[in-house]
């Protein structure tokens, strides 16, 4: 649940949400599986196409969750699709090897 649940959103979040809802495509499009999967995929990458750090991914996911929660409250989405999405593991590619003989 959003930290702002039940209260008014700060002005900067309201203006960002207003821009998001009019700038490109309707917020409701994220309820389409292909669109939502693309959004989740892009959270893990920087604009230059290189992978983003794990902390960056988690911060972006939290921001997306807040925005989607507001979209639900505003009536633009029936539910927050992030609540049913599996979390992507972002982090080290190190593998713990078993004991060798």
């Amino acid at each position: 649940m959003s930290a702002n649940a039940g209260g008014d959103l700060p002005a900067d979040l309201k203006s960002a949400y207003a821009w998001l809802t009019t700038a490109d495509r309707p917020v409701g499009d994220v309820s389409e599986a292909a669109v939502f999967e693309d959004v989740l995929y892009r959270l893990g990458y920087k604009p230059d196409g290189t992978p983003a750090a794990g902390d960056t991914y988690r911060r972006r996911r939290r921001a997306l969750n807040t925005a989607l929660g507001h979209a639900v409250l505003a009536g633009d989405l029936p539910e927050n699709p992030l609540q049913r999405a599996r979390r992507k593991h972002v982090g080290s590619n190190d593998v713990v090897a078993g004991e060798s003989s």
Side-chain angles (χ1 to χ4, degrees), residues 26-50:
V27 171
D29 285 0
V30 297
S31 52
E32 297 174 26
V35 173
F36 187 68
E37 288 300 320
D38 186 51
V39 169
L40 287 181
Y41 174 80
R42 290 170 187 264
L43 291 178
Y45 291 89
K46 297 187 279 186
D48 66 5
T50 60

Side-chain angles (χ1 to χ4, degrees), residues 1-10 12-13 66 70 73:
M1 174 153 282
S2 167
N4 295 312
D8 284 339
L9 286 175
D12 58 337
L13 280 179
T66 300
H70 181 67
L73 291 174

Side-chain angles (χ1 to χ4, degrees), residues 40 43-44 53-61 87-88 90:
L40 287 181
L43 291 178
D55 285 343
T56 299
Y57 171 80
R58 287 184 288 277
R59 185 180 67 250
R60 289 175 179 172
R61 188 175 169 109
R87 186 174 206 124
K88 175 183 169 187
V90 177

